[in-house]
Amino acid sequence: MISKVALLSLGGRSYALSLEGVLHILLTPHVWPLVRIRPGFCGVFFFGGEVVPLLDLGGLLGTSQENAPFTIAYSTGQGVVGLPADLVQKIVDCGSGALTEEETGVAGIMQENFSYCGHEFPLLAVDELLQSLPR
C-alpha cells in the first residue's frame, strides 16, 4: 500500500511516484554514456559509492528528459536506478488524494493514477517499466 507520493514533472508532463522507493533526490550528477548499455537506459552515474544506471524515462514515456536538473535515486526489486525529473513539485500523503485505475487502450493493461486537487497524475510503476525492457 502506497502511503505517500512525490509529484514530479518531466518534459512538460506531470507524474506521481511512490515515495517508498525514493532514496535521494540529487541535482543531476555527471552521467557517463555507455555504448553497450541495456536498452531503456542512457548512461550511468555514481551514487553512494555505487554505479547506478539512469533510466531513459523520457524515451520510455514519449517525452523529453534533456537537461533534466534532478535525478531521483530510486530503489527497485532489480537494484537502484536513476530517474530524471525537471521538477519535484511536492510530497503528498495518499489520503489527501485518490488512487484510481483506467484502461490504457492496450489489451487489458491498466494505468494507475493519483488524483489530487482535480488533477490526474499517472503513477510511475518503475519495477514494471524495468521488467518491460528488452534484455
Side-chain angles (χ1 to χ4, degrees):
M1 178 78 180
I2 299 172
S3 61
K4 293 186 180 193
V5 295
L7 302 179
L8 58 99
S9 61
L10 179 65
R13 295 184 186 166
S14 294
Y15 301 94
L17 178 67
S18 171
L19 201 61
E20 292 162 1
V22 174
L23 300 173
H24 203 79
I25 300 172
L26 312 159
L27 286 173
T28 296
H30 181 80
V31 176
W32 285 271
L34 298 176
V35 176
R36 294 184 181 206
I37 196 164
R38 180 177 167 195
F41 293 94
C42 54
V44 297
F45 64 97
F46 288 104
F47 171 71
E50 300 289 325
V51 176
V52 177
L54 180 65
L55 193 62
D56 182 11
L57 194 55
L60 295 169
L61 300 174
T63 186
S64 171
Q65 75 181 42
E66 194 171 316
N67 300 319
F70 299 100
T71 297
I72 300 167
Y74 195 83
S75 178
T76 72
Q78 297 181 36
V80 177
V81 298
L83 306 172
D86 292 332
L87 177 67
V88 180
Q89 300 164 358
K90 62 174 22 182
I91 306 300
V92 177
D93 188 324
C94 283
S96 62
L99 288 170
T100 60
E101 282 189 335
E102 67 179 40
E103 284 192 52
T104 63
V106 178
I109 295 178
M110 301 296 285
Q111 167 68 51
E112 201 167 14
N113 293 309
F114 180 68
S115 298
Y116 179 74
C117 293
H119 299 284
E120 294 288 321
F121 297 85
L123 187 64
L124 295 175
V126 181
D127 281 295
E128 286 81 2
L129 271 173
L130 290 174
Q131 290 174 5
S132 72
L133 296 176
R135 295 221 173 235

